[in-house]
Amino acid sequence: MSRGPRRRLTACLTGIALAWLLASCAPAPEEAYKTRFLTLGTLVDVSLWDIDEARAAEAARAVERELNLIHQRWHAWEPSELTRINAAIARGEAIDIDDDTRAVLQQATQLAHASGHLFNPAIGGLVELWGFHEEGAPAGPPPPQAAIDALLATAPTMEALSFDGARLRSANPAVRIDLGAFAKGLGVDRAIAALRALGIEDAIVNAGGDLRAIGRHGERPWRVGIRHPAEPGILASIETRGDESVFTSGNYERYFDYDGERYHHLIDPRDGRPVRGTLSVTVIHTSAAEADAAATALFVAGPAGWRETARRLGVVQIMLIDADMNVYMTPEMAERVRFEVSPPPAVILGDPE
Ligand code: AMP
Ligand code: MG
């Protein structure tokens, strides 16, 4: 072989070796199966790892079924088991409920109690008064103060409920149950249970940015984004570990602007008005239902009260963003959050107290 062809062969083999090396070092191709559908008034994304199409489709159907069941049972204004219960409460009558409904209401009651009723699913009357019991954003104006005061005077809490076997009764006919702050978490927990029952160990069920992730994305953990509360896009990201829920309550989710003021859907049960001073709260916790309730309670507690509410609820991984874009975090959360904006915002560390 002359020097020319030999050099060409060497170059060619080197090229092949380089290409092989590059291919083996390159990130693994995306093998996540993703599917998306609409339920609970939000877009739900299911991500699954390393699964064939047929099983993935079966898994997605199972998730959709669980979330639809929650939607049908707990819808706050479309005819549902919940509207049937609320109507009976308004009439001052007892009503028969099944075991599942009782267990959900008892868990919501226990979380409401632990939060000092900042998470208060009995304030459906106030949520409706502010216009949030309809599709889309209300047009405003805000309700008259006298109407707010009249509802506040009725002091609705979940503690008015009593359970006698299958019979539910409310000592306070002004209680209007609204599980908007909790039902999505409940549904996500059940969806994950349904996936596990199918033998799936690596998945994310993401309902409009609120999610539970189990297992891994192949060789690496799942990485999830946390929305910026004041701008389009992502503020930060987190790698989930094993089995975790990441839930955010934000003032940007449902709101109307009136006379230069934003009125959103997170109501402070103490004054009956949309909470001021908080933009968003993110909680990481194993249970999605508890993360959901806690995010709402901590949003209401705000920068001054979140640490006490966190202790009462037993949640330790929290990020709260106030109206000045100050970011409050527990050290356990700070250790995990990667800011995706530059410069990163100022962070104020605090422990539950
Ligand atoms: P989330 O996005 O989980 O914080 O839930 C917000 C929804 O919960 C609202 O749209 C209302 O239906 C309901 N809600 C509003 N304020 C409260 C509150 N203080 N406690 C419980 N539920 C609330
Ligand atoms: Mg919530």
Side-chain angles (χ1 to χ4, degrees):
M1 205 185 282
S2 73
R3 287 191 68 162
R6 190 177 293 161
R7 200 178 290 141
R8 270 203 300 281
L9 183 67
T10 313
C12 179
L13 287 175
T14 310
I16 290 168
L18 203 66
W20 177 81
L21 200 69
L22 278 176
S24 60
C25 294
E30 282 287 291
E31 286 179 49
Y33 173 94
K34 288 185 201 273
T35 180
R36 168 177 277 201
F37 49 84
L38 193 71
T39 185
L40 296 175
T42 190
L43 270 180
V44 177
D45 286 298
V46 181
S47 306
L48 305 163
W49 180 259
D50 197 20
I51 187 168
D52 65 64
E53 288 268 342
R55 265 185 89 225
E58 183 192 7
R61 276 196 303 277
V63 169
E64 193 167 7
R65 195 163 47 238
E66 292 299 331
L67 295 176
N68 280 340
L69 283 174
I70 294 288
H71 180 96
Q72 284 152 19
R73 184 169 286 225
W74 295 110
H75 204 288
W77 63 91
E78 286 171 10
S80 66
E81 177 67 357
L82 181 60
T83 56
R84 191 178 76 90
I85 291 169
N86 278 334
I89 291 173
R91 291 193 302 269
E93 291 172 3
I95 185 171
D96 281 336
I97 54 172
D98 67 20
D99 289 350
D100 185 36
T101 297
R102 188 181 59 234
V104 168
L105 290 176
Q106 285 178 331
Q107 191 190 6
T109 303
Q110 180 258 318
L111 288 164
H113 180 81
S115 76
H117 301 283
L118 299 184
F119 164 68
N120 183 352
I123 61 164
L126 280 164
V127 178
E128 182 178 13
L129 181 67
W130 281 92
F132 293 106
H133 276 180
E134 56 196 65
E135 286 318 316
Q145 187 61 43
I148 297 169
D149 289 342
L151 280 181
L152 280 178
T154 65
T157 70
M158 297 295 276
E159 252 130 54
L161 303 183
S162 56
F163 302 88
D164 179 11
R167 301 288 277 169
L168 165 67
R169 181 181 291 282
S170 173
N172 181 351
V175 164
R176 288 294 168 279
I177 302 166
D178 173 340
L179 291 192
F182 177 61
K184 197 199 272 184
L186 203 64
V188 168
D189 280 338
R190 290 183 181 190
I192 289 290
L195 291 179
R196 284 190 160 142
L198 292 171
I200 291 168
E201 292 300 332
D202 301 295
I204 301 185
V205 176
N206 181 340
D210 295 322
L211 61 94
R212 182 163 172 173
I214 54 171
R216 294 169 68 79
H217 179 280
E219 290 298 303
R220 59 179 172 83
W222 295 106
R223 177 172 285 280
V224 299
I226 299 171
R227 190 178 150 171
H228 197 300
E231 292 166 15
I234 297 296
L235 172 71
S237 65
I238 289 171
E239 285 187 344
T240 60
R241 297 173 183 160
D243 175 3
E244 286 184 321
S245 302
V246 184
F247 270 66
T248 300
S249 285
N251 75 344
Y252 48 79
E253 280 165 21
R254 298 194 67 204
Y255 63 89
F256 61 92
D257 291 314
Y258 194 84
D259 258 355
E261 182 105 29
R262 175 171 293 192
Y263 299 94
H264 60 80
H265 67 148
L266 290 147
I267 308 294
D268 189 331
R270 296 166 296 191
D271 68 2
R273 307 183 67 85
V275 175
R276 299 171 77 147
T278 314
L279 298 185
S280 72
V281 173
T282 302
V283 170
I284 306 181
H285 197 75
T286 312
S287 147
E290 285 177 51
D292 196 354
T296 307
L298 292 161
F299 190 105
V300 177
W306 70 274
R307 295 168 62 191
E308 191 201 330
T309 303
R311 180 188 51 75
R312 294 180 63 142
L313 286 169
V315 287
V316 288
Q317 300 190 55
I318 301 157
M319 174 165 78
L320 180 148
I321 303 176
D322 76 8
D324 298 320
M325 267 311 289
N326 293 309
V327 179
Y328 299 78
M329 280 199 263
T330 54
E332 289 82 354
M333 184 66 132
E335 182 216 315
R336 311 187 50 184
V337 163
R338 185 170 90 189
F339 284 109
E340 305 288 352
V341 291
S342 140
V347 171
I348 301 154
L349 290 180
D351 283 307
E353 62 175 23

